[in-house]
Amino acid sequence: MSTKQKVYVIGHKNPDTDSIAASIAYTNLKNHIGNHDYEARRCGNISAETQYVLDRFEVKAPKFVGDVRTQVRDMEINKLPGVDGNMSLKAAWRKMKENQVVTLCVTEGKKLKGIITTGDIMESYMGSQDSTILAKAKTSYKNIVETLSGEMITGDPEDHMNEGKVIIAAGTPDLMEAYIEKGDVVILGDRYEMQLCAIECEASCVIISAGAKVTNTIQKIAAEHNCKIIVTPHTTFTIARLITQALPISFLMKSDKLMTFKLDDYIEDIQPIMASTRHRYFPVIDSNGAYRGMVSRRNFIGARKKQIILVYHNEKSQAVNGIENADILEIIDHHRLGTISTSKPVFFRNQPLGSTCTIIYLMYQEFGIEIDKQIAGVMLSAILSDTLLY
């Protein structure tokens, strides 16, 4: 894909054959000699005569563009890929830091499902005292293993925690029997009797701290009770501090009334919306609702005006809508001087000839560019149609 900025070559709002042909022919010439990616466009309907000419020489009609104001697609879009909703908070935080963003977009396939911010993560980490939150969030054991830098030595990490609470086995077995319930995740150390107690109380998982060894007997008993065993190098304190970071981001993400922008939205329309909210990043979607990236307020600074070459006219009243917000690079015309004004000097070629295609033909000759039969046929048709001497 070309990284060059696209330049539209456009005729006027009521295009005749010379207007359309000039757009096509000059685009072809500029793509031979220019340093941008040039594309013929039209801002009006094609007449029956012009369509006949295009069909006769098997040339596609330029695409329609009704407005050339700056759009979201002209901004620098952060194309950070969407993330899976099962990603842990810890992994999401790390990804944000690596990419220097405060927002991640959660996607399913290509569709946007929600967003999560650093604020959401910090609020959950600082505000939650619910020991059953991992179960409520259907947290995967895979997330727990990765968050604790651990290893599951018994059980399937793809399973999810569906019930129970997280508890630290800090007392004697007799005392802990009153606290440990079916489905609990129990954090403990290397004491054999506590490991056995947790398993026999039908804990769903025991987390062994400090990288302690787990005997074959305990592993066998755990397998018989369908109890998972995770061994981590962290201390009990660190495990307790980190484990809520295993929550899937789908549990905390915002999914209702998401503020999104479309690629075709005009930035002058979305600027007030950005200014009225405290969000720093906004998801961008295409016309099919597929996620395409994010934009922030600072991206307005680098928004590039659309670059335009006008052919067959030089009056504002005839120009495409939004021309005052575009960057005009060139004007090629054979009419009287009109009312177009530019913010900087431009290449302007105006000659008293019968058609604009005549001027463009001369430019092909000057640059030594051979005209292929299709382009030549379209240009000749325009010259015959627009030259008043015929």
Side-chain angles (χ1 to χ4, degrees):
M1 181 180 292
S2 174
T3 57
K4 298 178 182 178
Q5 184 170 359
K6 191 178 294 296
V7 177
Y8 293 152
V9 182
I10 309 179
H12 62 50
K13 287 182 178 179
N14 300 295
D16 58 11
T17 301
D18 192 32
S19 177
I20 296 296
S23 174
I24 294 170
Y26 198 57
T27 296
N28 182 66
L29 175 62
K30 292 297 291 184
N31 279 325
H32 277 87
I33 65 173
N35 55 2
H36 292 287
D37 182 10
Y38 299 88
E39 185 174 308
R41 289 296 182 101
R42 60 183 175 87
C43 58
N45 296 324
I46 292 179
S47 68
E49 175 193 283
T50 305
Q51 190 61 58
Y52 173 82
V53 170
L54 296 176
D55 293 341
R56 171 67 178 78
F57 295 101
E58 299 181 345
V59 175
K60 289 184 178 181
K63 293 180 181 179
F64 176 82
V65 58
D67 198 312
V68 292
R69 286 178 294 165
T70 308
Q71 296 171 290
V72 171
R73 65 172 66 253
D74 301 313
M75 301 171 69
E76 182 183 352
I77 297 175
N78 185 331
K79 296 184 179 180
L80 184 66
V83 297
D84 190 283
N86 292 318
M87 174 182 277
S88 69
L89 297 184
K90 182 180 180 181
W93 182 272
R94 182 170 60 247
K95 192 173 187 68
M96 290 176 182
K97 294 301 180 183
E98 289 173 353
N99 291 278
Q100 298 181 331
V101 296
V102 296
T103 304
L104 290 179
C105 292
V106 182
T107 55
E108 186 176 305
K110 294 182 179 180
K111 299 294 183 179
L112 179 69
K113 303 300 291 185
I115 62 171
I116 187 164
T117 67
T118 53
D120 297 326
I121 295 175
M122 293 180 67
E123 184 176 346
S124 71
Y125 190 65
M126 298 299 293
S128 177
Q129 298 179 6
D130 184 358
S131 61
T132 65
I133 193 169
L134 293 180
K136 290 177 180 177
K138 308 297 183 186
T139 305
S140 71
Y141 288 101
K142 179 181 179 181
N143 276 10
I144 296 175
V145 171
E146 291 177 350
T147 299
L148 299 179
S149 304
E151 177 186 3
M152 179 170 282
I153 61 175
T154 301
D156 185 355
E158 298 298 332
D159 288 343
H160 291 72
M161 186 177 175
N162 297 308
E163 61 179 334
K165 60 187 179 295
V166 177
I167 185 171
I168 297 175
T172 65
D174 291 340
L175 179 63
M176 295 313 300
E177 283 180 356
Y179 289 95
I180 301 174
E181 299 175 321
K182 181 180 179 180
D184 285 352
V185 170
V186 183
I187 303 170
L188 40 74
D190 62 352
R191 293 169 57 191
Y192 178 91
E193 67 274 16
M194 283 306 310
Q195 296 171 2
L196 184 61
C197 173
I199 294 170
E200 292 182 340
C201 288
E202 298 187 81
S204 64
C205 177
V206 294
I207 301 175
I208 312 297
S209 65
K213 299 294 183 181
V214 181
T215 66
N216 291 333
T217 302
I218 287 293
Q219 293 184 45
K220 182 179 179 181
I221 295 173
E224 291 172 351
H225 285 74
N226 197 29
C227 178
K228 298 169 178 62
I229 298 177
I230 297 173
V231 177
T232 171
H234 297 307
T235 64
T236 300
F237 169 78
T238 302
I239 295 170
R241 187 174 63 85
L242 292 178
I243 196 166
T244 55
Q245 295 181 26
L247 284 167
I249 56 177
S250 58
F251 185 69
L252 297 174
M253 72 181 186
K254 295 180 177 67
S255 57
D256 295 328
K257 299 179 180 179
L258 297 177
M259 187 173 294
T260 63
F261 299 134
K262 293 183 178 179
L263 287 171
D264 292 332
D265 286 342
Y266 296 107
I267 64 172
E268 67 182 39
D269 295 333
I270 71 171
Q271 204 161 8
I273 300 174
M274 277 191 168
S276 66
T277 67
R278 299 181 63 181
H279 297 171
R280 290 180 61 182
Y281 287 89
F282 300 82
V284 176
I285 58 177
D286 63 19
S287 57
N288 296 317
Y291 168 74
R292 298 295 295 272
M294 299 184 295
V295 293
S296 66
R297 290 184 182 89
R298 64 181 178 83
N299 292 131
F300 277 101
I301 300 173
R304 300 184 298 183
K305 291 183 177 181
K306 284 188 170 59
Q307 296 192 325
I308 307 295
I309 294 176
L310 301 180
V311 295
Y312 196 74
H313 69 296
N314 67 95
E315 293 194 38
K316 184 178 178 180
S317 62
Q318 296 177 331
V320 62
N321 293 338
I323 192 65
E324 64 278 2
N325 298 117
D327 187 8
I328 300 173
L329 302 182
E330 302 180 27
I331 302 174
I332 312 296
D333 192 19
H334 74 121
H335 296 100
R336 67 180 178 85
L337 298 185
T339 56
I340 287 285
S341 62
T342 63
S343 60
K344 60 183 179 182
V346 302
F347 177 82
F348 184 89
R349 182 155 179 170
N350 183 282
Q351 293 179 257
L353 298 173
S355 79
T356 303
C357 276
T358 304
I359 301 172
I360 295 172
Y361 166 74
L362 294 174
M363 297 178 74
Y364 270 92
Q365 300 305 303
E366 291 165 7
F367 284 102
I369 304 298
E370 183 177 351
I371 309 174
D372 63 47
K373 291 182 179 180
Q374 288 178 298
I375 299 296
V378 170
M379 290 176 69
L380 181 58
S381 300
I383 293 170
L384 290 170
S385 174
D386 215 51
T387 299
L388 299 179
L389 295 179
Y390 280 91

mmCIF file with all atom_site columns, all heavy atoms in Angstrom, residues 218-229:
data_model
loop_
_atom_site.group_PDB
_atom_site.id
_atom_site.type_symbol
_atom_site.label_atom_id
_atom_site.label_alt_id
_atom_site.label_comp_id
_atom_site.label_asym_id
_atom_site.label_entity_id
_atom_site.label_seq_id
_atom_site.pdbx_PDB_ins_code
_atom_site.Cartn_x
_atom_site.Cartn_y
_atom_site.Cartn_z
_atom_site.occupancy
_atom_site.B_iso_or_equiv
_atom_site.pdbx_formal_charge
_atom_site.auth_seq_id
_atom_site.auth_comp_id
_atom_site.auth_asym_id
_atom_site.auth_atom_id
_atom_site.pdbx_PDB_model_num
ATOM 1  N N   . ILE A 1 218 ? 0.346   -35.421 46.928 1.00 0.00 ? 218 ILE A N   1
ATOM 2  C CA  . ILE A 1 218 ? -0.582  -34.287 46.877 1.00 0.00 ? 218 ILE A CA  1
ATOM 3  C C   . ILE A 1 218 ? -1.101  -34.092 45.455 1.00 0.00 ? 218 ILE A C   1
ATOM 4  O O   . ILE A 1 218 ? -2.290  -33.842 45.239 1.00 0.00 ? 218 ILE A O   1
ATOM 5  C CB  . ILE A 1 218 ? 0.096   -33.007 47.391 1.00 0.00 ? 218 ILE A CB  1
ATOM 6  C CG1 . ILE A 1 218 ? 0.255   -33.060 48.916 1.00 0.00 ? 218 ILE A CG1 1
ATOM 7  C CG2 . ILE A 1 218 ? -0.702  -31.760 46.988 1.00 0.00 ? 218 ILE A CG2 1
ATOM 8  C CD1 . ILE A 1 218 ? -1.064  -33.024 49.681 1.00 0.00 ? 218 ILE A CD1 1
ATOM 9  N N   . GLN A 1 219 ? -0.220  -34.234 44.464 1.00 0.00 ? 219 GLN A N   1
ATOM 10 C CA  . GLN A 1 219 ? -0.654  -34.082 43.073 1.00 0.00 ? 219 GLN A CA  1
ATOM 11 C C   . GLN A 1 219 ? -1.694  -35.136 42.716 1.00 0.00 ? 219 GLN A C   1
ATOM 12 O O   . GLN A 1 219 ? -2.680  -34.837 42.031 1.00 0.00 ? 219 GLN A O   1
ATOM 13 C CB  . GLN A 1 219 ? 0.552   -34.186 42.131 1.00 0.00 ? 219 GLN A CB  1
ATOM 14 C CG  . GLN A 1 219 ? 1.538   -33.024 42.257 1.00 0.00 ? 219 GLN A CG  1
ATOM 15 C CD  . GLN A 1 219 ? 2.663   -33.109 41.233 1.00 0.00 ? 219 GLN A CD  1
ATOM 16 O OE1 . GLN A 1 219 ? 2.424   -33.370 40.057 1.00 0.00 ? 219 GLN A OE1 1
ATOM 17 N NE2 . GLN A 1 219 ? 3.889   -32.885 41.684 1.00 0.00 ? 219 GLN A NE2 1
ATOM 18 N N   . LYS A 1 220 ? -1.477  -36.364 43.168 1.00 0.00 ? 220 LYS A N   1
ATOM 19 C CA  . LYS A 1 220 ? -2.419  -37.439 42.869 1.00 0.00 ? 220 LYS A CA  1
ATOM 20 C C   . LYS A 1 220 ? -3.765  -37.198 43.537 1.00 0.00 ? 220 LYS A C   1
ATOM 21 O O   . LYS A 1 220 ? -4.829  -37.354 42.909 1.00 0.00 ? 220 LYS A O   1
ATOM 22 C CB  . LYS A 1 220 ? -1.820  -38.770 43.339 1.00 0.00 ? 220 LYS A CB  1
ATOM 23 C CG  . LYS A 1 220 ? -2.700  -39.973 43.034 1.00 0.00 ? 220 LYS A CG  1
ATOM 24 C CD  . LYS A 1 220 ? -2.029  -41.263 43.501 1.00 0.00 ? 220 LYS A CD  1
ATOM 25 C CE  . LYS A 1 220 ? -2.939  -42.462 43.205 1.00 0.00 ? 220 LYS A CE  1
ATOM 26 N NZ  . LYS A 1 220 ? -2.319  -43.747 43.669 1.00 0.00 ? 220 LYS A NZ  1
ATOM 27 N N   . ILE A 1 221 ? -3.735  -36.794 44.807 1.00 0.00 ? 221 ILE A N   1
ATOM 28 C CA  . ILE A 1 221 ? -4.984  -36.541 45.534 1.00 0.00 ? 221 ILE A CA  1
ATOM 29 C C   . ILE A 1 221 ? -5.738  -35.365 44.893 1.00 0.00 ? 221 ILE A C   1
ATOM 30 O O   . ILE A 1 221 ? -6.960  -35.395 44.758 1.00 0.00 ? 221 ILE A O   1
ATOM 31 C CB  . ILE A 1 221 ? -4.692  -36.249 47.015 1.00 0.00 ? 221 ILE A CB  1
ATOM 32 C CG1 . ILE A 1 221 ? -4.088  -37.490 47.692 1.00 0.00 ? 221 ILE A CG1 1
ATOM 33 C CG2 . ILE A 1 221 ? -5.959  -35.822 47.748 1.00 0.00 ? 221 ILE A CG2 1
ATOM 34 C CD1 . ILE A 1 221 ? -3.606  -37.249 49.109 1.00 0.00 ? 221 ILE A CD1 1
ATOM 35 N N   . ALA A 1 222 ? -4.989  -34.326 44.484 1.00 0.00 ? 222 ALA A N   1
ATOM 36 C CA  . ALA A 1 222 ? -5.609  -33.166 43.846 1.00 0.00 ? 222 ALA A CA  1
ATOM 37 C C   . ALA A 1 222 ? -6.300  -33.565 42.544 1.00 0.00 ? 222 ALA A C   1
ATOM 38 O O   . ALA A 1 222 ? -7.421  -33.130 42.252 1.00 0.00 ? 222 ALA A O   1
ATOM 39 C CB  . ALA A 1 222 ? -4.558  -32.100 43.573 1.00 0.00 ? 222 ALA A CB  1
ATOM 40 N N   . ALA A 1 223 ? -5.642  -34.427 41.768 1.00 0.00 ? 223 ALA A N   1
ATOM 41 C CA  . ALA A 1 223 ? -6.238  -34.879 40.511 1.00 0.00 ? 223 ALA A CA  1
ATOM 42 C C   . ALA A 1 223 ? -7.512  -35.665 40.772 1.00 0.00 ? 223 ALA A C   1
ATOM 43 O O   . ALA A 1 223 ? -8.510  -35.527 40.044 1.00 0.00 ? 223 ALA A O   1
ATOM 44 C CB  . ALA A 1 223 ? -5.223  -35.721 39.733 1.00 0.00 ? 223 ALA A CB  1
ATOM 45 N N   . GLU A 1 224 ? -7.502  -36.494 41.822 1.00 0.00 ? 224 GLU A N   1
ATOM 46 C CA  . GLU A 1 224 ? -8.697  -37.276 42.161 1.00 0.00 ? 224 GLU A CA  1
ATOM 47 C C   . GLU A 1 224 ? -9.852  -36.383 42.585 1.00 0.00 ? 224 GLU A C   1
ATOM 48 O O   . GLU A 1 224 ? -11.021 -36.709 42.351 1.00 0.00 ? 224 GLU A O   1
ATOM 49 C CB  . GLU A 1 224 ? -8.355  -38.262 43.292 1.00 0.00 ? 224 GLU A CB  1
ATOM 50 C CG  . GLU A 1 224 ? -7.402  -39.378 42.868 1.00 0.00 ? 224 GLU A CG  1
ATOM 51 C CD  . GLU A 1 224 ? -6.932  -40.215 44.035 1.00 0.00 ? 224 GLU A CD  1
ATOM 52 O OE1 . GLU A 1 224 ? -7.204  -39.825 45.194 1.00 0.00 ? 224 GLU A OE1 1
ATOM 53 O OE2 . GLU A 1 224 ? -6.262  -41.252 43.794 1.00 0.00 ? 224 GLU A OE2 1
ATOM 54 N N   . HIS A 1 225 ? -9.558  -35.235 43.192 1.00 0.00 ? 225 HIS A N   1
ATOM 55 C CA  . HIS A 1 225 ? -10.596 -34.298 43.653 1.00 0.00 ? 225 HIS A CA  1
ATOM 56 C C   . HIS A 1 225 ? -10.873 -33.193 42.629 1.00 0.00 ? 225 HIS A C   1
ATOM 57 O O   . HIS A 1 225 ? -11.610 -32.242 42.930 1.00 0.00 ? 225 HIS A O   1
ATOM 58 C CB  . HIS A 1 225 ? -10.189 -33.665 44.986 1.00 0.00 ? 225 HIS A CB  1
ATOM 59 C CG  . HIS A 1 225 ? -10.314 -34.579 46.160 1.00 0.00 ? 225 HIS A CG  1
ATOM 60 N ND1 . HIS A 1 225 ? -9.429  -35.624 46.403 1.00 0.00 ? 225 HIS A ND1 1
ATOM 61 C CD2 . HIS A 1 225 ? -11.244 -34.618 47.162 1.00 0.00 ? 225 HIS A CD2 1
ATOM 62 C CE1 . HIS A 1 225 ? -9.788  -36.251 47.515 1.00 0.00 ? 225 HIS A CE1 1
ATOM 63 N NE2 . HIS A 1 225 ? -10.888 -35.665 47.994 1.00 0.00 ? 225 HIS A NE2 1
ATOM 64 N N   . ASN A 1 226 ? -10.289 -33.330 41.455 1.00 0.00 ? 226 ASN A N   1
ATOM 65 C CA  . ASN A 1 226 ? -10.455 -32.300 40.403 1.00 0.00 ? 226 ASN A CA  1
ATOM 66 C C   . ASN A 1 226 ? -10.046 -30.926 40.917 1.00 0.00 ? 226 ASN A C   1
ATOM 67 O O   . ASN A 1 226 ? -10.707 -29.910 40.656 1.00 0.00 ? 226 ASN A O   1
ATOM 68 C CB  . ASN A 1 226 ? -11.905 -32.268 39.899 1.00 0.00 ? 226 ASN A CB  1
ATOM 69 C CG  . ASN A 1 226 ? -12.029 -31.532 38.569 1.00 0.00 ? 226 ASN A CG  1
ATOM 70 O OD1 . ASN A 1 226 ? -11.090 -31.497 37.764 1.00 0.00 ? 226 ASN A OD1 1
ATOM 71 N ND2 . ASN A 1 226 ? -13.192 -30.931 38.343 1.00 0.00 ? 226 ASN A ND2 1
ATOM 72 N N   . CYS A 1 227 ? -8.954  -30.897 41.667 1.00 0.00 ? 227 CYS A N   1
ATOM 73 C CA  . CYS A 1 227 ? -8.429  -29.645 42.216 1.00 0.00 ? 227 CYS A CA  1
ATOM 74 C C   . CYS A 1 227 ? -7.144  -29.276 41.476 1.00 0.00 ? 227 CYS A C   1
ATOM 75 O O   . CYS A 1 227 ? -6.238  -30.100 41.329 1.00 0.00 ? 227 CYS A O   1
ATOM 76 C CB  . CYS A 1 227 ? -8.130  -29.822 43.712 1.00 0.00 ? 227 CYS A CB  1
ATOM 77 S SG  . CYS A 1 227 ? -7.411  -28.361 44.494 1.00 0.00 ? 227 CYS A SG  1
ATOM 78 N N   . LYS A 1 228 ? -7.082  -28.077 41.029 1.00 0.00 ? 228 LYS A N   1
ATOM 79 C CA  . LYS A 1 228 ? -5.909  -27.607 40.276 1.00 0.00 ? 228 LYS A CA  1
ATOM 80 C C   . LYS A 1 228 ? -4.825  -27.149 41.247 1.00 0.00 ? 228 LYS A C   1
ATOM 81 O O   . LYS A 1 228 ? -5.130  -26.629 42.328 1.00 0.00 ? 228 LYS A O   1
ATOM 82 C CB  . LYS A 1 228 ? -6.310  -26.464 39.340 1.00 0.00 ? 228 LYS A CB  1
ATOM 83 C CG  . LYS A 1 228 ? -7.338  -26.890 38.295 1.00 0.00 ? 228 LYS A CG  1
ATOM 84 C CD  . LYS A 1 228 ? -7.908  -25.701 37.565 1.00 0.00 ? 228 LYS A CD  1
ATOM 85 C CE  . LYS A 1 228 ? -8.884  -26.182 36.498 1.00 0.00 ? 228 LYS A CE  1
ATOM 86 N NZ  . LYS A 1 228 ? -10.041 -26.916 37.075 1.00 0.00 ? 228 LYS A NZ  1
ATOM 87 N N   . ILE A 1 229 ? -3.583  -27.303 40.809 1.00 0.00 ? 229 ILE A N   1
ATOM 88 C CA  . ILE A 1 229 ? -2.455  -26.834 41.612 1.00 0.00 ? 229 ILE A CA  1
ATOM 89 C C   . ILE A 1 229 ? -1.620  -25.886 40.762 1.00 0.00 ? 229 ILE A C   1
ATOM 90 O O   . ILE A 1 229 ? -1.193  -26.231 39.661 1.00 0.00 ? 229 ILE A O   1
ATOM 91 C CB  . ILE A 1 229 ? -1.576  -27.998 42.108 1.00 0.00 ? 229 ILE A CB  1
ATOM 92 C CG1 . ILE A 1 229 ? -2.381  -28.929 43.014 1.00 0.00 ? 229 ILE A CG1 1
ATOM 93 C CG2 . ILE A 1 229 ? -0.357  -27.453 42.848 1.00 0.00 ? 229 ILE A CG2 1
ATOM 94 C CD1 . ILE A 1 229 ? -1.584  -30.142 43.488 1.00 0.00 ? 229 ILE A CD1 1
#
